[in-house]
Amino acid sequence: MSNSRAESQPAYGRRRSNTAQSLLRPMPPATPLKIGDSQVLNSWVHDLRDSTNVIFNQSWWPGVREGDMLSVSAGYSGAEAFVFIVPRDEDCAKPQLQISIPKPVAEAFKLKNNSDVYVTKVDPANYSADFVEFIFQDQYLGRSDMWRLGEQLVGQCVYTDQEVAFVGGIAAKIQTIYVGGKKVPAACVTSATKSIFRSLSAKVTIFIQVCRELWEFAGDGERYNEKIVHSFLPALFAKWREANTNHTVTIVLISRVYYDATEIDYAAGPLRRDERGAWYKDFFKVITDLEVIHEWKPTLVSLKDSFWDFQRDILLTHHYHRASQDGTGGPGTEQVRLVGRLSFAHDGPILEALNIGLNPTETHYIDRSLSLTGSATIVISPGTGYYRVSKQLLRLTTTRMLDQGFGLDLICLAKHPLHQSPIFSFSGPEPERAKDGYGGVGQPRAMDPLWGGDDESAHTSANTRTFWWEPFWVSVAFWDKQMDLPFREDRFIARAKMHEIQMLGLLEHDVISSIEVPFLPPHSQVEGGNSPVWDGEATWRPPTKAEADQFDLDIFALKPESKSTAPRDAWSWSSQLLPSVQRTVEKRASLRYSRTAPKIEEESPRHIHIELPAEKSPTHAVAPSMSVSTLSSSPSQSSIRSARSTRSSASKKERSEPGSTSRPSMASKLAPSWLFNPFRSTPSEPQTTSVSASASSSPGSSSSNLPSAATPALTRIQPSPSKPTVAQSSSRTPMPIKPKNSPTNRHSVGRTSEDEGGIAPHRSSIIRRSPINTPPRDESSFGKRRSTISSAPLSSSLPGLSTTNPSRLDWSVSYAQSSLARRWEHIFPQPLWKHDIKWPSIVTPGCLPLTVEHFPSAAELDTSYDVFSYDFVLDPGEMHSFMVKHPTPSPRRGAGDETLRREWALAVMRGMAAVRLAQGFQFVLKVPRMTGAPDEHQRIPSSRRSKAFALEDDFTQPLKPAGAAEVLRSTVDPVYLSMSNEIHRISYTDEAIQVRRYVRRMPLTRPFKYECLIWPKLGGGYTEQSLTFTSHGLENYGWNSLDMLVAGYEHQFNESLRYWRTRFVVIPTTEPPSSNIEATGEQLNDEETRMLGIEKLAEQFTKLRWKSPDEKNAPPPVRFLPTTLNPAASVLDEALLEQLDQIHADGPLRKKMKSEREIGDMSLAAIAKAMRAEDGVRIKHNQWHRNQYPDSFTGHDFVSWLVREFRDVSSRAQGTEWGIKLEAQGLFEHCRGYHAFLDGHYFYRLKGDYAVPSTPRGWFGSRRIMGDARPSIPSSASVVNATPRNISPRQIKKRLILSQSMVIDIDPSKRSDQAESVILHHDIIHNPGTVFHFELHWIGSTARCIEDLLRLWNRTIERYGLKLVEAYVTQISDIRERNAFQSCFPLRLAIAPPTVPDFEKRVPLGTNTAQYFEYALLRRFNFIVDIEAADLYPPNVDVIYSYRRSPFKYSQFVHRSGVAFVQILGGEKGFLFLTNRLMGPGRMGTTHKTNHRPAVEADKIRIELTQFCSDENVLRKFYEEEMALLAPAPEEPPPLTI
């Protein structure tokens, strides 16, 4: 039903009046709308403050029902439409309103106010989003946050560029929406919609490989190093600038240098030997170090300079410096030798560099940045993507990449090679099934060349051989931008380099005539095939065009076993399809073919395979598989022979058969199809081929003993009817094969990995396809390559083993790899071309998806996994969890009510799932059922019923959730979470939550010890670094402890839980406070103002303290103890420690139970007497800086006493009012006469007659009162000299806890849908001249809530001259243990500080004399004490900070701007300087400056400090000035005479 506009809109003029007659007339019910019905309405535009939804007046379109989905578009053709769901009909307040659209939606779809729009009823199924891609910036979005954000959008209609709010703020922006693999402007989010999250603020590491090829010329005459600096990096930085990214970038040059045996002695250092026995050293030079750079030109200049200097630095200068330092000789010319040679690209240290980069990201939860999410690694290499690696390191790297959920973008500057890429080669033993049963039908990894066998790096056994392995976690792209050769499709581009021609000068053209290119060698004639090439006879003629075409067709013909090459979907792990590629598949396909056709034509077959006749009998599935192979030790240098006749006859047979089609293979351009084909489960027909790329040979064969003679070498043919050979490749999945008589074209090769009951014994080899099997000129059907879906073969799970041949582009991929690669499955909404640049991945790195569809088969679970189980009963009365939101028990139901218990169970299970997501787990979803496929996949094993655990009935049911939003909607269905080697099942039954863990049995991955040379960003040369690469898997993670914590049965984090942590320091700024007036109007100095700011922070802590629902008494407020002493000296102040004990004993504010006194009834004398009583105010000797205040008390102590002792004083505010009143009446006065009464650390003394001197504690008095009236605090010098051996071993150390910890609620306004709590650890003692520390620990809390809270605290204290800055959790001298590329800058002193006689007697007690001048020098440059070294504390005191995991070896200072840290080494060694990389632009502590560049400020400070420390005259003058300020040494008293 389509109404015309005249019918749908009222005529101009007055509307028809609503008379009583018209109101009472019965209206006929409107017929419901059908799909496709449309209407033209007048649209208004409203502000978001009025409503965030479309306002629709249903009276203007009868027949509209609640829940209908309508699309709205502008009136012109081709206009994009958005959709919305009709809400409940509520009478519109404005009858003339027809439809009103929110302003952002109107702007996005170009709809104007008071314009006509076209409204159509649409089918919701056509507008249900399959994928929604979000981008976000300058925030840390945790994985549990992503889960909840996706849940929040279910049922909402979204559109491209829509900003999505989460927990009270804009969290992300929708970049792209996909429906059916196509981008759409708007759609509705369903519970099955998958979310893709991409970060504009990630940590990006770029490794540039420096090797011999880097200085070679590319085909366009440009060197490869120029391609990096002039084309690729500028293009990358331009993309970043266009997307407005804010990445933190590290750029490192990586290189390997080989040495001859004669050079080993000279090239001493961290020399290593590879598996071939060659000596080498690895060099890394850091160009940028964790920097947020907006102007890249200086970086490119620095990079270009580094390229020029690189060879000189590592081949000459490095060894020259070593010889000079070792004292082996002076810097004479005889010591300067050029030693070593750069490696080729394939020998480069790519895995070593990758592991160094993985070390800091493995502990990403330490020093957690709240403005970065995600990590990306890019390797730029002039090679082709082939690397020779160690098996042990490759296995370790693969495990770590899987655990961390990251991939690698490999950018190759060379042209696409003829072998497959990326490809790794390694040596190892043939995998064998172990005696304990590891390996077999259910244990596919045991027979994989990487996972099977031992990972020993050196094997002496005879079965060691070379394997080729394609890493699924590497995405390779070829950057071949021609600088001065415009690309033409018909241009022939030579692939082989000829050095003589490349090096020709302009006048040497006559040399070309002397260069001969030999023809192909003669080949054996089989079946009398004629060859157009030279056959060794004297007479030779060039082949005719017909012969050449026939030769090509014979070479590239399809095999008779498969009548056609079915299309294959191309994927790569890293990203979505390029936004710029919007052309149709057919156009792109033809263009791709035209680009690669010349390359296919010049590719020659590398291996000879004598084929069997086509098997056409019905029993072909059980026929033995025969294969022959000549194994090569190199992807490009094997012997070349052409056995053409068998192919020729096969191609003739094939062309004669009706219905067969030929399709060109684009294998060299397409991604490994494990990323698409194995993700579907369909029934499949077993197929057999007699040829495999390199099939399993006899056990004795290896690459070393295979002949490379003129005739093909035949390996032993193994008939194996029950265990057929499966050609296993680690790169590609088989294409779907279209059987001859199949009408549906939907059959595919191989059974899926999810089949019940393991593998049928009659399966045979999987057919492979390569460009060799494809006619080169037929592109009629190429455009349909994406139309068919196939499934993954369980190839490597069969006993027969074959290895990848890198020179033949294979289609199948081993199940062992495809199952692991599916971890990234749901980040790809569209197929990708394998070797294109994946700009979206590089510009906006994707986060690991929340969901995965792979689940092991029953046989694999039964044989490859160990099962662990535990459960705990839910008792709501005993659970005091701060990690889940407590269900509220209503009066009608008690704590034991089943409904309440289920609500508790759901909350706890969601909390348990959230913390697992945070550790990298993924929800396991059901696989979408394909047409005609039986519902047999994803069934959990019932065969385990006979095992130790009796399983519930639902354990054998298929998985339920179709998307992450469907998980844990109720406690009925269990939830499955999966990681690479572990699966968790969480379920609720019989009042208990049960956790079952399936842990894969894996061979032990040993740590990899590694030594290298690293030149840090600010270093002066290469320094040796020893590293150990280990896999910190979750197999031994304390899951039981974590679940108890979530449920509320435990309340402490332990180190094994990998909780998130970040340390903050509150620094007094260099700028004076903006407000010096106290609330009562008192004028305060800068120090007093800053102390007031710290008290305000304590109030914030108190306000947010989390209180358990059954907690009756409120804990005392947070209080800090002020002091003027440094941390090490403060622990000897008895008065301070007395107050510390009182704080630990729950504070002085607890009201006395029998408090009957009222202060209003007492005289001043009685009050003074009560103050001096035993339980009165502490009146004692106080000291602040060098001022002494005898018989004084603090305002804080006085107010606390009033609140505790008197019935009519109930709060501190009341106590302060009484203090002001009593001071005005003359009871006491401020010691220095500056202030009226204030509640704080201000000193007061009783006046006049009320003042009574306190009695000395000792018989002869105390140093506190007599003598120099100073507290008896030994100097730090005496503390340092008092080594532990001076103390009796039986002496018990005094234990001092100098911090407090508590749980705080970081979401007081309850914006979040979950409990938001963190554990806060903070200092108790605070010196306003140093920094105040606190640390936050959390698991699974929303980072936005934490950041909002920190910004609130920063705003609170900023006006008091304080600043909140994120600091490193550990000392800066240990920074290289976590990140080898980050390093402290050494600042040596030109002259060591002088030794002063009687130093301790000339400085105030408590002063650190051991590093007195260093302290003074740093104070001069505006550094203040952060944490003092452990050896400065008295040896008889055991100081404990709840957040400090290890003592600091050196005293650490922080600059008052927060941009840099310094540690004192002492003596001439001077200092270590480190830029605070945690303080990036826009982060905490930089809110008041928009153009704040911390790294630039830190560099300026470092340069000034370096100049000062390296100038002898300036240092001497400084030392003299400091010594002049010292007090004179006290004279010795004359000897007593009698």
Side-chain angles (χ1 to χ4, degrees), residues 8 119 264 342 492 511 530 712 777 920 936 985 1040 1142 1269 1298:
S8 66
V119 185
I264 293 175
L342 282 173
F492 174 78
V511 183
N530 296 319
R777 294 179 178 83
E936 47 82 25
R985 175 188 186 271
N1040 198 338
Q1142 199 174 51
L1298 299 183

Side-chain angles (χ1 to χ4, degrees), residues 950-961:
L951 307 181
E952 300 78 23
D953 290 339
D954 68 345
F955 203 52
T956 62
Q957 298 304 312
L959 294 163
K960 298 290 177 63

Side-chain angles (χ1 to χ4, degrees), residues 1271-1518:
S1272 56
I1273 302 171
S1275 70
S1276 296
S1278 61
V1279 168
V1280 173
N1281 296 331
T1283 56
R1285 62 173 173 270
N1286 298 335
I1287 301 172
S1288 165
R1290 296 182 182 178
Q1291 182 176 345
I1292 299 174
K1293 286 188 175 185
K1294 184 176 181 181
R1295 199 162 180 264
L1296 294 179
I1297 301 174
L1298 299 183
S1299 66
Q1300 269 186 318
S1301 58
M1302 61 182 179
V1303 178
I1304 60 171
D1305 181 3
I1306 57 173
D1307 183 30
S1309 56
K1310 303 304 174 197
R1311 298 173 301 172
S1312 176
D1313 59 347
Q1314 71 170 16
E1316 301 288 0
S1317 303
V1318 301
I1319 296 180
L1320 166 71
H1321 300 265
H1322 63 81
D1323 288 349
I1324 300 175
I1325 298 174
H1326 171 55
N1327 180 346
T1330 64
V1331 301
F1332 174 81
H1333 314 90
F1334 67 88
E1335 201 166 297
L1336 301 178
H1337 299 168
W1338 74 94
I1339 298 179
S1341 298
T1342 306
R1344 171 170 284 280
C1345 294
I1346 299 174
E1347 190 167 21
D1348 289 349
L1349 187 69
L1350 290 168
R1351 293 194 185 280
L1352 171 67
W1353 289 350
N1354 196 42
R1355 286 195 302 270
T1356 302
I1357 63 176
E1358 233 174 9
R1359 59 192 294 259
Y1360 298 103
L1362 298 169
K1363 179 180 189 176
L1364 199 59
V1365 172
E1366 189 175 352
Y1368 294 102
V1369 168
T1370 55
Q1371 60 181 344
I1372 62 170
S1373 56
D1374 295 340
I1375 197 74
R1376 292 192 84 169
E1377 293 179 7
R1378 277 192 50 221
N1379 184 356
F1381 296 135
Q1382 203 174 356
S1383 173
C1384 296
F1385 181 74
L1387 291 166
R1388 298 183 68 87
L1389 290 172
I1391 308 175
T1395 304
V1396 181
D1398 295 326
F1399 209 165
E1400 295 84 2
K1401 300 176 182 177
R1402 301 179 62 180
V1403 294
L1405 286 173
T1407 303
N1408 173 18
T1409 55
Q1411 296 168 343
Y1412 179 86
F1413 292 99
E1414 288 93 332
Y1415 273 49
L1417 191 152
L1418 291 175
R1419 280 197 301 269
R1420 178 178 184 138
F1421 282 89
N1422 273 324
F1423 283 87
I1424 57 174
V1425 173
D1426 177 17
I1427 294 173
E1428 287 198 305
D1431 60 3
L1432 295 183
Y1433 286 87
N1436 61 336
V1437 174
D1438 189 10
V1439 173
I1440 293 170
Y1441 289 89
S1442 57
Y1443 56 85
R1444 216 173 281 176
R1445 278 148 290 280
S1446 59
F1448 276 43
K1449 189 176 180 182
Y1450 307 110
S1451 293
Q1452 183 167 302
F1453 282 65
V1454 60
H1455 194 264
R1456 289 176 72 167
S1457 63
V1459 299
F1461 292 94
V1462 164
Q1463 274 194 303
I1464 300 175
L1465 300 180
E1468 287 187 354
K1469 291 182 180 177
F1471 311 101
L1472 292 176
F1473 181 97
L1474 183 68
T1475 302
N1476 185 7
R1477 298 290 180 190
L1478 301 175
M1479 189 179 172
R1483 299 216 196 149
M1484 203 55 52
T1486 63
T1487 51
H1488 60 289
K1489 289 186 181 178
T1490 53
N1491 58 349
H1492 184 55
R1493 297 280 176 86
V1496 177
E1497 292 182 27
D1499 265 351
K1500 190 188 299 183
I1501 296 165
R1502 179 184 58 81
I1503 291 167
E1504 291 175 2
L1505 199 55
T1506 306
Q1507 290 172 348
F1508 190 92
C1509 294
S1510 56
D1511 191 324
E1512 290 189 21
N1513 296 327
V1514 171
L1515 274 179
R1516 274 203 188 90
K1517 185 180 177 184
F1518 168 74

Side-chain angles (χ1 to χ4, degrees), residues 16 69 185 269 329 379 474-475 483 566 613 695 1024 1090 1112 1142 1170 1229 1240 1251 1282 1329 1455 1514:
R16 181 175 171 183
M69 183 179 284
V379 173
V474 176
S475 161
M483 294 305 291
E1024 295 186 19
R1090 291 190 171 107
K1112 296 174 183 176
Q1142 199 174 51
E1229 65 182 356
H1455 194 264
V1514 171

Side-chain angles (χ1 to χ4, degrees), residues 845-1085:
C847 303
L848 181 70
L850 298 176
T851 53
V852 67
E853 288 178 3
H854 169 72
F855 200 88
S857 66
E860 189 179 352
L861 267 182
D862 203 33
T863 55
S864 297
Y865 286 81
D866 292 320
V867 186
F868 305 92
S869 179
Y870 60 88
D871 53 19
F872 53 91
V873 176
L874 286 182
D875 185 357
E878 295 295 323
M879 297 164 67
H880 310 299
S881 173
F882 58 86
M883 294 183 66
V884 298
K885 189 171 274 189
H886 292 216
T888 52
S890 63
R892 297 181 182 178
R893 59 185 188 187
D897 183 79
E898 179 59 27
T899 310
L900 176 65
R901 196 184 295 273
R902 283 197 171 274
E903 288 180 14
W904 260 106
L906 186 61
V908 172
M909 288 170 72
R910 286 181 65 85
M912 291 164 65
V915 296
R916 281 164 171 79
L917 284 179
Q919 298 292 354
F921 276 74
Q922 295 169 290
F923 291 125
V924 183
L925 305 182
K926 69 177 179 184
V927 177
R929 186 174 174 184
M930 306 303 296
T931 307
D935 189 12
E936 47 82 25
H937 42 262
Q938 297 296 0
R939 196 166 282 275
I940 315 301
S942 56
S943 59
R944 299 191 74 99
R945 291 179 181 277
S946 59
K947 302 291 180 182
F949 303 104
L951 307 181
E952 300 78 23
D953 290 339
D954 68 345
F955 203 52
T956 62
Q957 298 304 312
L959 294 163
K960 298 290 177 63
E966 290 185 12
V967 176
L968 287 175
R969 294 288 89 195
S970 72
T971 57
V972 176
D973 297 320
V975 57
Y976 293 88
L977 294 108
S978 161
M979 210 167 167
S980 47
N981 294 318
E982 192 163 349
I983 298 167
H984 287 195
R985 175 188 186 271
I986 306 172
S987 60
Y988 174 72
T989 177
D990 298 330
E991 301 184 354
I993 291 178
Q994 184 183 60
V995 178
R996 187 168 286 113
R997 294 173 53 228
Y998 294 84
V999 181
R1000 183 185 288 276
R1001 288 193 288 274
M1002 292 289 292
L1004 183 66
T1005 303
R1006 300 189 320 279
F1008 186 88
K1009 292 191 176 351
Y1010 180 61
E1011 302 92 31
C1012 61
L1013 291 152
I1014 298 179
W1015 186 328
K1017 168 75 186 290
L1018 299 175
Y1022 288 96
T1023 57
E1024 295 186 19
Q1025 181 81 350
S1026 295
L1027 299 159
T1028 303
F1029 304 140
T1030 55
S1031 171
H1032 298 283
L1034 295 171
E1035 295 81 11
N1036 301 316
Y1037 188 87
W1039 292 112
N1040 198 338
S1041 174
L1042 180 61
D1043 291 339
M1044 293 295 103
L1045 192 69
V1046 172
Y1049 293 121
E1050 290 185 12
H1051 306 285
Q1052 293 293 327
F1053 290 163
N1054 60 56
E1055 196 66 28
S1056 68
L1057 293 184
R1058 303 187 189 178
Y1059 54 86
W1060 278 241
R1061 66 200 76 163
T1062 180
R1063 182 171 79 101
F1064 289 89
V1065 291
V1066 178
I1067 304 176
T1069 56
T1070 49
E1071 300 90 5
S1074 58
S1075 171
N1076 282 34
I1077 299 175
E1078 212 262 344
T1080 58
E1082 286 289 321
Q1083 187 75 25
L1084 307 177
N1085 63 27

Side-chain angles (χ1 to χ4, degrees), residues 612 623-627 688-691 717-720 724-726 764-765:
L612 296 176
S625 163
M626 302 174 66
S627 52
T688 306
T689 178
S690 56
V691 178
I717 297 174
Q718 302 173 335
S720 50
T725 299
V726 171
S764 188
S765 298

Side-chain angles (χ1 to χ4, degrees), residues 467-541:
F467 293 92
W468 306 95
W469 196 83
E470 181 170 6
F472 53 82
W473 40 267
V474 176
S475 161
V476 69
F478 290 88
W479 178 264
D480 188 23
K481 186 175 181 181
Q482 303 290 316
M483 294 305 291
D484 55 358
L485 290 175
F487 181 77
R488 292 211 321 261
E489 295 176 13
D490 60 343
R491 165 166 287 150
F492 174 78
I493 299 175
R495 306 307 309 279
K497 293 183 178 179
M498 302 182 70
H499 185 74
E500 294 87 346
I501 295 180
Q502 278 191 310
M503 296 295 112
L504 283 182
L506 290 174
L507 303 177
E508 295 176 330
H509 295 295
D510 56 330
V511 183
I512 296 179
S513 60
S514 64
I515 298 176
E516 294 184 359
V517 181
F519 290 107
L520 289 173
H523 66 285
S524 57
Q525 301 293 322
V526 185
E527 295 183 8
N530 296 319
S531 170
V533 296
W534 182 53
D535 56 2
E537 297 295 328
T539 57
W540 175 85
R541 62 175 180 81

